[in-house]
Amino acid sequence: MELLEESGFCTSTGIYYSKWNSPELPLSPSLSLPSFLLAHSHPRTLLKPAFVHAKSGKTVTYGEMRVLVNAIAAALHSLGIRKGDVVLLVAPNSLYFPLLVLGIMSSGAVFSTANPMNTRQEIKTQVEDSNPVLILTTQELKPKMEGLLPTPLLLVHDFLDNVLRDVPPPLPSPHTSPPICQSDTAALMYSSGTTGKSKAVVCSHRNLIAMSCLLKYVWSHESGGDLDEVYLCVVPLFHMFGLSVFVCGAMAVGSTVVVLGKYSIEATLTAVEDYGVTRLPAVPPIVMQMVRAAKNLATKEYDLSSLREVICSGAPLAKEYMERFSEIYSQVTLSQCYGLTETNGPITLCDGIEGRFHVSIGRLIPSLEAKIVDLYTRQPLPPRKCGELLVRGPPVMQGYFKNQEATCFAIDEEGWLHTGDLCFIDTFGLVYVVDRIKELIKYKAYQVAPAELEEILCSHPDIVDAAVIPCRDEEAGEIPMACVVKSTGSKLQVEDIIKFVADKVAPYKKIRKVVMVESIPRSPSGKILRRHLRVSIAHPRLEISPRL
């Protein structure tokens, strides 16, 4: 194998290989993610806080995690939950969110979750797709969930009260259930994939264990085996970024995670100071707010000396903000990482790269292979040539739930996941995202599928045709903009269109700009030619609405 050492590119196969050595992954077929993560035996680790609630200071140690996860699994089993059943958890970040995730998986059930901001209709669609036997939620979110299943809702607070009250010392007896295998499904995490509406990504225990092992390997090597890292969780745990980093990665290393229940920049900076946070995984809007906070909040009042790294993911971060951030927080390394729900977490990391900030999204993590293929010939490309990024390795999903067509579209016969992103890898093995081939709009850290919004728009009686395209925005990265063809004689206004969509979707999916056009350019097959639309709206026939 002729390998270009610095880039990791093999000229004979056209494959880029990770520069990291590949650690051994657990071979035992009878292993679940919870049993892998809770296998810590060192007394120091067992007494160490695994999760801390930022506001109250309440903690759950690694030793207590074992007891509580087993108790939650036993309680679910007593409610009739069996191996393979889907349990839906819809709740904001809390100290107990990770316990519920692992408790559900430990019971043999399949964990699924949803964005608490989603509308009732959006959650109903997800429920109809995944068919959960139980919904766990909060009192505040109860009205959205009532009646979606024939079985009663289970409120997280009440459920945990019963579990915590009934936990006897020592460990509760294991519940009776068929053994869990690495090949079993651990979670259904909803993603928009590379095209179209939201789809459920099938994540096996093996996928998530692999992600845990690979993050542990990289982070342990970077820190020299230091277990005293403190992570601050400000991104949602219902998102794969949060789940993979704070549950899979941080727990595998044996670090402490401080959980912020409700995000604000003031609460974030206070938590860094109060708990000696060393690492802050974040999304671009948080980095931007930290830059602005330097002026508006007098950040010198906060002791941020413990903070060593901010890891940004979810959407591209403008170089301007990287530079400004590094000037203000000179002791902090600003790095980026890249991953998909379909890869069960980050597949590139910037660890070990010199410099205060990194424009690249880092290097391939261990055990990952990549290709950059020409968009037209589909032939593999050497370093510094742009094409679609394809990846292959242990963390890549099993497929899309009950959607073989979408699975075959995303993963080819050789196991390569087609990311839909236009990328290149340089001569040092660093990966760069140039643009997205796929049509998803990235609003902050969320993915918005144009097809979903177009379907809603076209359901309006006064709209003949519609297309949704991204519009650049400094704060959000991109916002959804609708190009609308009104019916003849219609008095439909921009504000009417925005409200019509807003009533039917989660806040992050809202249309924020509208332009009226005479027609929507389409190919002979009917596909919307979005690139043509972007050109045509540079000189729209009617006025574009202001951003709302």
Side-chain angles (χ1 to χ4, degrees), residues 41-49 61-62 225-229 254:
S41 58
H42 195 286
R44 179 190 171 197
T45 304
L46 293 176
L47 294 173
K48 183 178 181 179
T61 68
Y62 277 93
D226 180 15
L227 298 180
D228 290 327
E229 295 279 10

Coordinates of all heavy atoms in Angstrom, one line a residue, residues 41-49 61-62 225-229 254:
S41 N -13.8 0.7 37.5 CA -13.6 -0.1 38.8 C -12.7 0.7 39.7 O -12.6 0.3 40.9 CB -13.1 -1.5 38.5 OG -11.8 -1.4 37.8
H42 N -11.9 1.7 39.3 CA -11.0 2.4 40.1 C -11.8 3.1 41.2 O -12.7 3.9 40.9 CB -10.2 3.3 39.3 CG -8.9 3.8 40.0 ND1 -9.0 4.8 41.0 CD2 -7.6 3.5 39.9 CE1 -7.8 5.0 41.5 NE2 -6.9 4.3 40.8
P43 N -11.4 3.0 42.5 CA -12.2 3.7 43.5 C -12.3 5.2 43.3 O -13.3 5.8 43.6 CB -11.4 3.3 44.8 CG -10.7 2.1 44.5 CD -10.4 2.1 43.0
R44 N -11.2 5.8 42.8 CA -11.2 7.2 42.6 C -12.3 7.6 41.6 O -13.0 8.6 41.8 CB -9.8 7.7 42.1 CG -9.8 9.2 41.9 CD -8.5 9.6 41.1 NE -8.5 11.0 40.7 CZ -7.7 11.5 39.8 NH1 -6.8 10.7 39.2 NH2 -7.8 12.7 39.5
T45 N -12.4 6.8 40.6 CA -13.4 7.1 39.5 C -14.8 6.9 40.1 O -15.7 7.7 39.8 CB -13.2 6.3 38.3 OG1 -11.9 6.5 37.8 CG2 -14.2 6.6 37.2
L46 N -15.0 5.8 40.8 CA -16.4 5.6 41.3 C -16.9 6.7 42.3 O -18.1 6.9 42.4 CB -16.4 4.2 42.1 CG -16.1 3.0 41.2 CD1 -16.1 1.7 42.1 CD2 -17.3 2.8 40.2
L47 N -16.0 7.3 43.0 CA -16.4 8.4 43.9 C -16.4 9.8 43.2 O -16.9 10.7 43.8 CB -15.4 8.5 45.1 CG -15.4 7.3 46.0 CD1 -14.2 7.4 47.0 CD2 -16.7 7.1 46.7
K48 N -16.0 9.8 42.0 CA -15.9 11.1 41.2 C -17.3 11.4 40.6 O -18.0 10.6 40.2 CB -14.9 10.9 40.1 CG -14.6 12.1 39.3 CD -13.6 11.9 38.2 CE -13.3 13.1 37.4 NZ -12.2 12.8 36.4
P49 N -17.6 12.7 40.6 CA -18.9 13.2 40.0 C -18.9 12.9 38.5 O -17.9 13.2 37.8 CB -19.0 14.7 40.2 CG -18.1 14.9 41.4 CD -17.0 13.9 41.3
T61 N -22.4 10.6 41.2 CA -21.0 10.0 41.0 C -21.1 8.8 40.0 O -22.2 8.3 39.7 CB -20.4 9.5 42.3 OG1 -21.2 8.4 42.8 CG2 -20.4 10.6 43.3
Y62 N -19.9 8.3 39.6 CA -19.9 7.2 38.7 C -20.4 5.9 39.4 O -21.1 5.1 38.8 CB -18.5 6.9 38.2 CG -18.2 7.8 37.0 CD1 -17.6 9.0 37.1 CD2 -18.5 7.3 35.7 CE1 -17.3 9.8 36.0 CE2 -18.2 8.1 34.6 CZ -17.6 9.4 34.7 OH -17.4 10.1 33.6
G225 N -3.7 11.0 29.7 CA -4.3 10.1 30.6 C -4.9 10.8 31.8 O -5.4 10.2 32.8
D226 N -4.9 12.2 31.8 CA -5.5 12.9 32.9 C -7.0 12.8 32.9 O -7.7 13.0 31.9 CB -5.1 14.4 32.7 CG -5.7 15.3 33.8 OD1 -6.1 14.7 34.9 OD2 -5.7 16.5 33.7
L227 N -7.5 12.3 34.1 CA -9.0 12.1 34.2 C -9.7 13.3 34.8 O -10.9 13.3 35.1 CB -9.3 10.9 35.1 CG -8.7 9.6 34.5 CD1 -9.1 8.4 35.5 CD2 -9.3 9.2 33.2
D228 N -9.0 14.4 35.0 CA -9.6 15.6 35.7 C -10.2 16.6 34.7 O -10.4 17.8 35.1 CB -8.6 16.2 36.6 CG -8.2 15.3 37.8 OD1 -9.1 14.6 38.2 OD2 -7.1 15.3 38.2
E229 N -10.5 16.3 33.5 CA -11.2 17.2 32.6 C -12.6 17.4 33.1 O -13.2 16.5 33.6 CB -11.2 16.6 31.2 CG -9.9 16.4 30.5 CD -9.3 17.7 29.9 OE1 -9.9 18.8 30.1 OE2 -8.3 17.6 29.1
G254 N -14.0 9.0 31.8 CA -14.1 9.2 33.3 C -14.1 10.6 33.7 O -13.6 10.9 34.8

